[in-house]
Amino acid sequence: MKLKYAGPKPIISHTGITFDNNKEDKFIYTGIVLQLLKALSHTYHDDKKYVYNTDNKVLSDDDLLMEVKKYCPDIRTLIESRSNTIEEEVEHQLQRAHDSCVLGEDCKEVLENNINIMHDYLVQRSVNKVVYYCLINALAKLLLEDHIDYVTVPMLQNYFHVLHSVQGSLKLQKAPVETKLEIYKEKGELFAELKVINQ
């Protein structure tokens, strides 16, 4: 099991393989979620504002996995389960290609080859997605357990994406948690802030 960048979502057909750049690999957000988890994992004192300067150090694949395990101890089980599911999905795609009534034999063969070529890529994207959502759920849990009222980050697309995912995780709690995600400007800089309203 490794964590590494795979790439955007592939679109596999009998004419070739293209990529949907709007569906980026969740791996690119993993470091941001880990930074937020590190920043928020400490003892809190009433009415104190905490500021955390991010560490831009790039972790090796092994170090990244060790960091993930701190917040998602059952990550191996989750990855194995998802890997089995994605293997079944790939087999299903291959079977559909083989059984297609629309495609000729040559096109079927090309499609099957394209699916096989992208097998490892699809598995890696799936692993990255499982890791990302495990970390997002850990972050949402931390916000609730430590009664954190808000998190403010620079208004960059990747940070905003992470806060939006946390917002989604909080909505899916047994007792859905109301949140507000806002963008504001302060001293000429843009920030995104996730407010946890009902805890």
Side-chain angles (χ1 to χ4, degrees):
M1 171 181 69
K2 278 205 165 194
L3 293 180
K4 62 180 182 179
Y5 179 72
K9 182 179 179 179
I11 300 163
I12 306 167
S13 73
H14 67 283
T15 59
I17 302 165
T18 57
F19 298 90
D20 182 350
N21 291 320
N22 294 320
K23 302 278 187 182
E24 189 51 88
D25 184 359
K26 295 296 185 195
F27 179 83
I28 67 169
Y29 308 111
T30 303
I32 293 168
V33 188
L34 283 170
Q35 288 283 345
L36 289 171
L37 281 161
K38 282 184 197 176
L40 298 171
S41 297
H42 58 79
T43 305
Y44 289 89
H45 302 286
D46 289 343
D47 300 324
K48 184 173 180 194
K49 186 176 181 178
Y50 293 87
V51 177
Y52 178 81
N53 291 319
T54 58
D55 178 7
N56 291 329
K57 181 180 144 189
V58 177
L59 297 173
S60 71
D61 294 346
D62 292 338
D63 289 341
L64 184 60
L65 190 55
M66 281 177 30
E67 286 296 313
V68 167
K69 286 178 185 175
K70 289 179 187 176
Y71 303 102
C72 299
D74 61 342
I75 194 62
R76 281 197 184 278
T77 306
L78 291 172
I79 287 173
E80 283 173 22
S81 173
R82 183 62 194 142
S83 293
N84 291 338
T85 303
I86 194 71
E87 291 291 349
E88 288 172 10
E89 288 173 14
V90 170
E91 283 303 314
H92 179 69
Q93 287 177 20
L94 286 168
Q95 191 61 49
R96 282 187 60 209
H98 181 74
D99 295 343
S100 175
C101 298
V102 178
L103 299 176
E105 290 305 314
D106 289 347
C107 290
K108 285 182 187 183
E109 186 179 336
V110 170
L111 179 54
E112 289 172 26
N113 286 340
N114 288 344
I115 293 167
N116 284 322
I117 288 167
M118 296 307 292
H119 175 271
D120 291 349
Y121 187 98
L122 293 168
V123 170
Q124 187 63 55
R125 271 184 56 89
S126 187
V127 165
N128 294 345
K129 189 173 182 178
V130 166
V131 170
Y132 173 73
Y133 281 109
C134 186
L135 290 172
I136 286 293
N137 291 333
L139 182 53
K141 183 179 175 188
L142 180 66
L143 293 178
L144 294 176
E145 287 178 352
D146 287 354
H147 304 286
I148 297 170
D149 295 328
Y150 65 92
V151 176
T152 306
V153 296
M155 183 47 225
L156 300 170
Q157 190 271 332
N158 288 358
Y159 282 92
F160 190 82
H161 180 92
V162 166
L163 289 187
H164 189 264
S165 294
V166 173
Q167 187 179 38
S169 179
L170 289 168
K171 279 183 190 170
L172 294 173
Q173 300 295 311
K174 279 185 183 175
V177 178
E178 187 180 343
T179 59
K180 194 172 189 179
L181 186 53
E182 298 179 319
I183 299 169
Y184 68 92
K185 195 172 191 176
E186 186 176 291
K187 296 180 184 173
E189 292 186 51
L190 283 175
F191 295 92
E193 186 171 87
L194 177 66
K195 292 181 180 175
V196 182
I197 296 167
N198 64 323
Q199 288 199 49

